[in-house]
Amino acid sequence: MLRIKNGRVMDPASGMDARRDIWLDGDRIVKVAPQGGGESERAAGESLDASGLIVAPGFVDLHCHLREPGIENSETIETGTRAAARGGFTAVCPMPNTRPVNDSASVTRGILERAAVVASTRVWPIGAASAGSRGESLAEIAAMQQAGIVAVSDDGKPIATARLMRQVMDYCRSLDLPVIDHCEDASLFAGNSMREGRQSVRLGLAGMPAATESIAVARDIQVAELTGCRFHVAHLSARTSLECVRAAKKRGLRVSCEVTPHHFTLTDEDVAYDTHFKMNPPLGSAEDRAALVEGLGDGTVDAIATDHAPHEPASKEVEFDRAPFGVTGFETALALALELVHSGKLPLMRMVELFTTGPARVLGRDRRIAEGQPADLTLFSTEHAWTFRAAESASKSRNTPFDGRAFRGAPMATIVAGRVVYRRNA
Ligand SMILES: [Zn+2]
Ligand SMILES: [Zn+2]
């Protein structure tokens, strides 16, 4: 038995925000009770003091890249999930763009077998939508679902035609699997490296307009309506895309979206020639950022997802337009979200929801603190002062725009299936 005592328990599913002690037995929550009540300390066995901390359901990251199999010089399931646990995540969903692509049950099983041995967190793989993510024919979606995938996506390679998207969604609706799209109209994208605007002109870098994303979002929503499939927008970055999602939700469609910490924190004004500010979709305008923050607060956005995209240092040490897209994100996600809480832009309970019940609901799953539930918990401080040092990251890669940033608030302990997989030394 492990007792989590003296914490402030915040459970978005029930709305509970109260001082409670939580007892864990094996991989389950067995009791949630007012503090100091009943049970003698002796009978409780081991305990973890959560004084001054928030105790939340285990955080879920809907979108990351663990790079295994095949690109282990950038990340592995072991190092990636260790970084995730340090970020407070108890479950992560790796995208299928590995080598080989996770487009068959055997690759899915390989990932899960490896995770069972080395992962600090739960690993919920996302399978490819098309074979090899080549956008031609469907992947082995039903067989992958049997093997354990939780959604499908060709992340990194947008699904090019409405016709293929319709096939994917028709099929996934019958399996009740959500379809996640990296929304991008490739004809406007053309390999450009940042958002088109004043800053791209100033820097002389080729830019892509926000419509590159929102055209694809609008198309996918219409295909979702046509097929009745659950549809989720990956890393939504533009105001115009958010407005499409808001309107779709109003019409009662099963449409959801996620926003990354870098998109709700930074703008294209932050982009210099530093490749650590290069990701896809690129950083938007100040107006986009304000719209995303509003969407996080009002429920239009369902989840904060990291899109943790590690790249080995050498690959980012090149000219801006030649560098790969992507930044790491596990270890800074919560602290960046807390910046919105501290500045009064996001209520704390809503922030917790965006890391827990929100992403779980996208996958059709439950996440709450109650007897009988899995013992996945994230303990965090809203006040702990610290500075993020990329060199000390648990990730194999260092490509973050937040190296050296001072933060207020941090994950303090991460518990997965009753096991303390990370504990921060104050
Ligand atoms: Zn993507
Ligand atoms: Zn991604």
Side-chain angles (χ1 to χ4, degrees):
M1 267 281 243
L2 174 64
R3 177 185 183 180
I4 315 295
K5 60 178 190 183
N6 304 325
R8 173 181 168 192
V9 175
M10 294 186 82
D11 181 44
S14 63
M16 183 204 291
D17 180 357
R19 313 255 154 214
R20 290 282 184 278
D21 282 359
I22 299 173
W23 282 261
L24 312 178
D25 193 9
D27 64 355
R28 294 278 143 182
I29 295 170
V30 291
K31 186 175 162 181
V32 182
Q35 282 160 12
E39 220 87 357
S40 73
E41 288 276 339
R42 245 174 330 105
E46 230 186 312
S47 71
L48 198 159
D49 187 11
S51 298
L53 303 183
I54 310 289
V55 181
F59 286 11
V60 176
D61 188 2
L62 282 177
H63 189 151
C64 70
H65 300 269
L66 296 179
R67 305 301 191 208
E68 187 178 355
I71 318 162
E72 289 89 351
N73 49 348
S74 292
E75 197 76 285
T76 62
I77 291 169
E78 182 174 11
T79 58
T81 59
R82 197 184 302 143
R86 284 172 62 142
F89 293 100
T90 57
V92 300
C93 304
M95 283 294 179
N97 60 340
T98 45
R99 292 185 200 137
V101 169
N102 181 17
D103 64 354
S104 72
S106 67
V107 179
T108 304
R109 275 195 297 270
I111 291 168
L112 288 171
E113 280 162 14
R114 185 75 188 138
V117 178
V118 300
S120 297
T121 66
R122 296 179 195 271
V123 174
W124 295 343
I126 294 169
S130 67
S133 285
R134 282 186 299 271
E136 290 157 10
S137 55
L138 293 192
E140 293 176 14
I141 297 172
M144 284 193 289
Q145 185 182 31
Q146 297 262 305
I149 62 162
V150 297
V152 305
S153 181
D154 276 349
D155 184 43
K157 291 193 180 160
I159 293 176
T161 66
R163 179 192 161 91
L164 179 64
M165 185 51 101
R166 182 183 187 179
Q167 286 174 0
V168 171
M169 285 197 183
D170 260 335
Y171 197 63
C172 287
R173 193 194 64 83
S174 68
L175 300 172
D176 196 28
L177 266 181
V179 172
I180 304 174
D181 195 19
H182 168 125
C183 292
E184 181 180 287
D185 183 316
S187 66
L188 280 172
F189 170 59
N192 300 339
S193 43
M194 71 175 289
R195 177 62 62 79
E196 182 178 297
R198 274 207 318 270
Q199 185 73 347
S200 67
V201 171
R202 197 176 297 143
L203 297 176
L205 291 167
M208 54 181 130
T212 308
E213 176 183 88
S214 51
I215 287 171
V217 171
R219 180 202 75 178
D220 287 351
I221 287 171
Q222 294 191 42
V223 181
E225 184 162 18
L226 181 66
T227 57
C229 185
R230 284 194 279 152
F231 166 58
H232 180 75
V233 184
H235 44 49
L236 185 144
S237 71
R239 176 184 57 80
T240 44
S241 307
L242 192 78
E243 282 167 4
C244 295
V245 170
R246 189 175 280 135
K249 287 189 167 192
K250 272 211 188 97
R251 294 213 309 282
L253 300 180
R254 298 199 295 170
V255 169
S256 56
C257 69
E258 71 196 22
V259 166
T260 72
H262 46 273
H263 287 113
F264 69 64
T265 303
L266 304 171
T267 69
D268 58 353
E269 298 289 317
D270 296 303
V271 179
Y273 296 102
D274 183 343
T275 59
H276 293 149
F277 290 79
K278 181 175 174 182
M279 68 289 285
N280 189 11
L283 297 170
S285 64
E287 189 193 16
D288 288 315
R289 178 179 173 267
L292 299 184
V293 172
E294 194 191 330
L296 289 166
D298 73 12
T300 308
V301 178
D302 300 86
I304 293 173
T306 66
D307 196 7
H308 175 84
H311 291 288
E312 59 167 328
S315 67
K316 280 281 195 181
E317 285 161 10
V318 296
E319 294 83 349
F320 196 88
D321 54 356
R322 289 177 53 220
F325 294 103
V327 295
T328 59
F330 288 139
E331 290 161 272
T332 47
L334 170 63
L336 290 166
L338 282 169
E339 289 184 354
L340 298 179
V341 173
H342 291 314
S343 63
K345 295 192 181 106
L346 190 64
L348 184 58
M349 182 64 97
R350 175 69 190 140
M351 186 210 77
V352 171
E353 184 176 20
L354 286 159
F355 278 112
T356 58
T357 39
R361 219 178 294 124
V362 169
L363 301 175
R365 290 174 182 229
D366 217 14
R367 211 97 289 228
R368 56 205 166 86
I369 295 180
E371 284 163 28
Q373 290 293 310
D376 289 12
L377 297 170
T378 298
L379 278 56
F380 68 92
S381 161
T382 58
E383 304 304 322
H384 184 82
W386 65 293
T387 299
F388 177 62
R389 304 272 177 222
E392 294 163 12
S393 169
S395 168
K396 267 196 171 183
S397 293
R398 302 285 176 256
N399 52 309
T400 166
F402 301 113
D403 190 20
R405 193 175 179 105
F407 287 118
R408 178 179 155 208
M412 301 304 281
T414 308
I415 299 172
V416 178
R419 216 160 52 85
V420 181
V421 295
Y422 169 66
R423 193 146 184 205
R424 190 182 196 96
N425 307 312

